């Protein structure tokens, strides 16, 4: 999704991001547990959340895991990282940097190598995914794991048709991302997880109006309002129920020295 001011989009959303983005109270604990399980996280692991935003998932993982080394919340948006608080919660360390900064070694991390890292719905913001994922893979310790969490190429969200079509135009194919991890020298596999979402219809319309998904920033205010009217007609029910399906692309470095 290059060609747009992605950082500016999130800078503007930062103060209200958690309010608009979270579907319900069960979602963050559920996703955080899935991430921790997929990466087989342990309390001694050196961990980074690349594209952490406000740290929603890193915060939850830290509470569950009680890590001995703080989880690095890596994000280019100072405003998003600022939502962690000052000082940040115990177990979290903010790092103002992009995925490319880490991959290219432009930003020095507190840890020489990482045992685990994840990118949650941020790989589509990367201009050159193959290069960036290869650089991130190079930051892994022997036995290290890299997880890319992303939406599939098609989603079943109750969005307006133009938004769904634009999503399909912009969203990378998880199978291609799996190939990037293999090309980076990792053992890679692709799986899926699914969670049923239930959300008040008006709350969801408010999230769309606030452009909670970055692709919605490609639409004007009038296009968003027209889209919401389309959604209102298509979904008269007061509570929207729909599946949230994610691709989990997991890569693992061999135990030999990197």
């Amino acid at each position: 999704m290059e060609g747009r001011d992605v950082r500016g989009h999130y800078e503007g959303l930062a103060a209200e991001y958690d309010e608009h983005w979270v579907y319900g109270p069960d979602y963050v604990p559920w996703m955080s547990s899935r991430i921790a399980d997929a990466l087989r996280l342990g309390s001694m692991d050196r961990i980074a959340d690349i594209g952490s935003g406000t740290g929603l998932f890193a915060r939850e993982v830290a509470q569950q895991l009680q890590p001995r080394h703080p989880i690095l919340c890596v994000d280019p948006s100072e405003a998003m990282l600022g939502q962690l608080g000052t000082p940040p919660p115990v177990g979290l360390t903010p790092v103002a940097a992009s995925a490319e900064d880490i991959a290219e070694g432009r930003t020095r991390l507190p840890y020489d190598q990482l045992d685990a890292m994840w990118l949650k719905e941020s790989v589509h913001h990367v201009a050159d995914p193959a290069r960036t994922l290869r650089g991130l893979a190079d930051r892994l310790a022997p036995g290290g794991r890299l997880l890319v969490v992303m939406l599939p190429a098609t989603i079943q969200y109750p969005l307006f048709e133009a938004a769904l079509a634009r999503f399909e135009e912009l969203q990378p194919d998880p199978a291609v991302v799996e190939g990037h991890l293999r090309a980076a020298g990792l053992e890679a596999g692709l799986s899926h997880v699914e969670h049923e979402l239930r959300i008040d219809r008006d709350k969801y319309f408010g999230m769309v109006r606030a452009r909670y998904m970055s692709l919605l920033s490609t639409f004007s205010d009038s296009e968003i309002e027209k889209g919401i009217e389309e959604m209102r007609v298509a979904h008269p029910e007061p509570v929207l129920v729909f599946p949230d399906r994610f691709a989990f692309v997991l890569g693992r470095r061999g135990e030999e020295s990197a």
Side-chain angles (χ1 to χ4, degrees):
M1 297 189 181
E2 311 91 271
R4 295 181 288 106
D5 183 11
V6 173
R7 186 175 304 188
H9 170 73
Y10 286 111
E11 292 281 336
L13 277 182
E16 300 177 341
Y17 184 78
D18 292 0
E19 172 190 348
H20 286 303
W21 195 87
V22 177
Y23 295 106
D26 299 333
Y27 178 74
V28 171
W30 171 79
M31 175 55 75
S32 300
S33 293
R34 298 289 78 73
I35 289 171
D37 290 347
L39 285 167
R40 298 184 179 180
L41 296 180
S43 61
M44 295 301 295
D45 284 338
R46 298 158 295 178
I47 303 166
D49 177 357
I50 309 294
S52 66
T54 62
L56 277 172
F57 303 102
R59 190 191 306 265
E60 184 73 22
V61 170
Q63 290 176 352
Q64 294 175 8
L65 193 64
Q66 298 294 303
R68 295 290 298 275
H69 309 287
I71 297 174
L72 306 181
C73 293
V74 179
D75 199 275
S77 170
E78 295 271 11
M80 294 290 272
L81 290 176
Q83 298 303 305
L84 289 171
T86 305
V90 174
L92 300 180
T93 295
V95 177
S98 67
E100 291 92 339
D101 291 333
I102 304 304
E104 301 292 337
R106 293 192 292 265
T107 298
R108 186 173 180 83
L109 297 178
Y111 313 131
D112 291 336
Q113 293 181 312
L114 293 163
D115 300 298
M117 69 178 87
W118 74 81
L119 292 81
K120 165 71 167 64
E121 290 188 88
S122 59
V123 73
H124 56 276
H125 295 312
V126 174
D128 187 344
R131 179 184 176 91
T132 298
L133 290 172
R134 183 169 62 249
L136 293 176
D138 289 343
R139 307 277 83 78
L140 292 174
R145 291 86 64 202
L146 191 166
L147 175 66
V148 179
V149 179
M150 59 190 297
L151 292 171
T154 301
I155 55 176
Q156 298 179 50
Y157 289 11
L159 290 168
F160 53 99
E161 287 299 324
L164 291 171
R166 190 158 300 171
F167 175 87
E168 293 187 12
E169 292 172 9
L170 299 172
Q171 183 68 2
D173 186 338
V176 172
V177 172
E178 181 187 12
H180 293 332
L181 295 187
R182 292 186 192 279
L186 304 182
E187 303 167 9
L190 170 61
S191 61
H192 293 84
V193 300
E194 188 170 304
H195 181 69
E196 183 180 79
L197 295 176
R198 291 177 174 269
I199 185 166
D200 179 85
R201 184 182 73 150
D202 289 338
K203 175 178 169 61
Y204 189 70
F205 290 172
M207 290 166 63
V208 171
R209 190 172 280 115
R211 295 171 170 84
Y212 83 106
M213 296 178 74
S214 59
L215 78 90
L216 295 171
S217 69
T218 67
F219 292 94
S220 68
D221 288 348
S222 61
E223 288 171 328
I224 289 287
E225 292 305 321
K226 181 180 178 182
I228 289 174
E229 283 307 309
E230 178 187 318
M231 292 161 58
R232 198 182 303 278
V233 171
H235 298 282
E237 64 273 23
V239 177
L240 303 177
V241 181
F242 56 99
D244 206 13
R245 192 166 189 259
F246 290 91
F248 271 38
V249 191
L250 180 65
R252 183 180 182 277
R253 182 168 294 288
E255 294 289 348
E256 73 283 355
S257 296

